[in-house]
Amino acid sequence: MANPIKAVIPAAGLGTRFLPATKAMPKEMLPVVDKPAIQYVVEEAVAAGIDDILVIIGRNKNALANHFDRVTELEHTLEQKGDHSKLSRVTATSSLADIHFVRQGDPRGLGHAVLRARKHVGNETFAVMLGDDLIDARDPLLSRMIDVSTQRAATVVALMEVDPSQIHLYGCADVDATDETDVVTIKGLVEKPSAEEAPSNLAIIGRYVLRPEIFDVLETTPPGKGGEIQLTDALEVLAADAEIAGPVLGVVFSGRRYDTGDRLDYLKSSIQLALDREDLGPDLAAWIKEIAPTI
Ligand code: G1P
């Protein structure tokens, strides 16, 4: 059944870790096997029943907008050639969902990007999905988060255990157990703590189900880590006072996640996803085995 909530995908980052590839192209358009990273995220939203998606864009907006638009000349050429398999791959991207775009303007952080969605989202619960984290379609996370949010009238953040040496790359949650094994109550949050300061090894991965009260909090959230308006800081305000918007809960994910945020993880994710593909996996696996002893 279609879920009426909307999804917001912030895609206005500068992508500096991938320069020069991202000089004229948003990092969300980097291909992972044969689809841009953002398409996996849109497909994940659609699989969770979401059909209205707002993408917050920075510079180089055109590539993103064009990707989800129709390209009639290409469709026509493929149709004339009778290449229906490629044709269906092209048309699928333009009919996935109702996709809207809004510019972030000044890049002032993730919290600021989410605030740009206020008008489109209105007074409703909504999902935020970050393109650096890809969640395997076989391990549905977002629909679980939406269910938990609905059942418990809560804000829900996706968490995953990481090695303590990696926690400084993430928002980190201080939690208490609940009566459900994959759900925790979030007592506090800290953005990118050192291993010593971190209250746990539970990292925020880029999926959130937020209630509209977050917008008022974001309006008054001062710049935090890195001088940016942090979504984590606004969530910390909600976690400290359940009167504002109900509890803040975490869904602890133990499925397959692919990090495309830096170059090495991006390469590993591309290889893992290609190995899983019927059309590419067997040949790629054979080649990896062949070259592995020579490395
Ligand atoms: C953002 C959030 C951080 C979260 C991470 C997940 O950081 O600020 O709390 O853990 O996404 O990918 P970024 O990776 O954009 O620096």
Side-chain angles (χ1 to χ4, degrees):
M1 199 183 77
N3 197 296
I5 80 169
K6 292 176 181 166
V8 174
I9 304 179
L14 295 176
T16 51
R17 281 181 280 192
F18 288 91
L19 282 169
T22 50
K23 192 175 167 196
M25 181 176 78
K27 73 172 173 185
E28 291 75 10
M29 284 302 293
L30 289 175
V32 179
V33 191
D34 51 11
K35 287 191 276 193
I38 194 167
Q39 191 176 331
Y40 289 85
V41 182
V42 169
E43 287 173 354
E44 182 192 336
V46 171
I50 295 173
D51 64 2
D52 184 309
I53 295 169
L54 178 69
V55 184
I56 315 287
I57 47 173
R59 62 202 174 94
N60 303 327
K61 147 208 163 151
N62 291 347
L64 281 163
N66 289 344
H67 182 70
F68 293 104
D69 199 357
R70 291 195 57 189
V71 195
T72 39
E73 315 88 91
L74 181 58
E75 287 173 27
H76 186 65
T77 309
L78 292 171
E79 210 168 313
Q80 284 202 323
K81 280 188 183 166
D83 196 337
H84 297 290
S85 139
K86 287 201 184 103
L87 180 62
S88 64
R89 273 148 63 190
V90 169
T91 50
T93 57
S94 48
S95 54
L96 275 170
D98 200 358
I99 302 181
H100 310 266
F101 298 89
V102 67
R103 275 189 190 275
Q104 183 175 3
D106 285 347
R108 290 170 56 206
L110 178 59
H112 178 251
V114 171
L115 195 48
R116 296 288 294 128
R118 182 169 204 163
K119 206 164 169 189
H120 185 81
V121 165
N123 198 27
E124 307 287 338
T125 295
F126 65 107
V128 170
M129 308 174 75
L130 307 187
D132 283 354
D133 295 293
L134 304 185
I135 304 295
D136 196 295
R138 294 164 292 187
D139 303 322
L141 167 64
L142 190 59
S143 38
R144 173 72 181 139
M145 294 171 70
I146 295 170
D147 284 350
V148 171
S149 167
T150 310
Q151 283 157 14
R152 300 187 181 234
T155 296
V156 179
V157 175
L159 300 174
M160 194 163 187
E161 282 188 36
V162 298
D163 191 90
S165 66
Q166 299 299 300
I167 199 74
H168 69 281
L169 300 171
Y170 298 94
C172 176
D174 187 11
V175 305
D176 273 338
T178 69
D179 53 357
E180 287 186 279
T181 46
D182 65 333
V183 181
V184 290
T185 302
I186 297 183
K187 294 184 290 181
L189 286 158
V190 39
E191 179 68 5
K192 303 200 174 100
S194 65
E196 298 75 43
E197 289 161 347
S200 75
N201 65 341
L202 287 171
I204 301 176
I205 54 172
R207 299 292 177 273
Y208 308 80
V209 177
L210 304 175
R211 293 163 62 91
E213 291 84 351
I214 191 88
F215 292 127
D216 274 347
V217 179
L218 281 168
E219 294 276 9
T220 58
T221 300
K225 196 98 186 179
E228 296 190 337
I229 298 172
Q230 298 290 350
L231 181 58
T232 305
D233 293 346
L235 288 164
E236 159 72 4
V237 171
L238 296 183
D241 184 358
E243 294 283 303
I244 305 175
V248 180
L249 302 178
V251 164
V252 182
F253 183 62
S254 52
R256 286 159 282 197
R257 161 184 171 256
Y258 309 99
D259 184 355
T260 62
D262 74 24
R263 289 174 303 173
L264 184 59
D265 287 326
Y266 167 79
L267 289 170
K268 289 182 192 169
S269 301
S270 300
I271 292 169
Q272 272 179 15
L273 283 160
L275 283 171
D276 273 351
R277 288 261 302 250
E278 266 174 31
D279 54 345
L280 297 167
D283 286 350
L284 181 60
W287 177 75
I288 291 173
K289 284 181 195 144
E290 188 187 310
I291 65 158
T294 67
I295 298 173

